[in-house]
Amino acid sequence: IGKAAWANWLVNLAIFQATTATSTIGKMAGIWGPIVLFVGLGLEHSVANMFFLPLGKLSGAHADWPSILVWNIMLACLGNALGASIFVCGMQWYALG
């Protein structure tokens, strides 16, 4: 759940930086850091997992659908929701009042 919470914080950080930048180069530079950290740290995001886990299963990985759905997708969704609530909304509420 912790990896998913940090993943969602990095995704939201990339979105925030891309929307606040005014130039194309600024938008590219703003999303580069969070994406590199997201991939480099091997974090879990529910939307990314909804693509890669079924792709792996259909490519022959030895995993069953209930374990993919319950033990990964659902926990990643829970972690993403916690990350959005605490790291994004909570920090903005604390900083801006």
Side-chain angles (χ1 to χ4, degrees):
I1 293 178
K3 288 172 62 173
W6 284 108
N8 199 24
W9 178 70
L10 287 173
V11 167
N12 282 290
L13 180 64
I15 292 168
F16 177 75
Q17 290 180 1
T19 56
T20 56
T22 57
S23 67
T24 303
I25 298 296
K27 291 178 185 295
M28 291 168 41
I31 65 170
W32 188 79
I35 291 173
V36 168
L37 282 172
F38 177 89
V39 174
L41 294 173
L43 300 177
E44 304 276 340
H45 196 269
S46 58
V47 176
N49 292 355
M50 285 180 202
F51 173 75
F52 286 114
L53 291 174
L55 179 66
K57 173 69 175 155
L58 294 173
S59 297
H62 298 289
D64 56 343
W65 288 109
S67 67
I68 289 174
L69 293 173
V70 173
W71 294 110
N72 193 291
I73 303 282
M74 298 298 269
L75 290 177
C77 285
L78 178 63
N80 292 158
L82 281 172
S85 301
I86 296 168
F87 296 126
V88 179
C89 298
M91 286 184 175
Q92 286 183 355
W93 174 79
Y94 180 75
L96 302 175

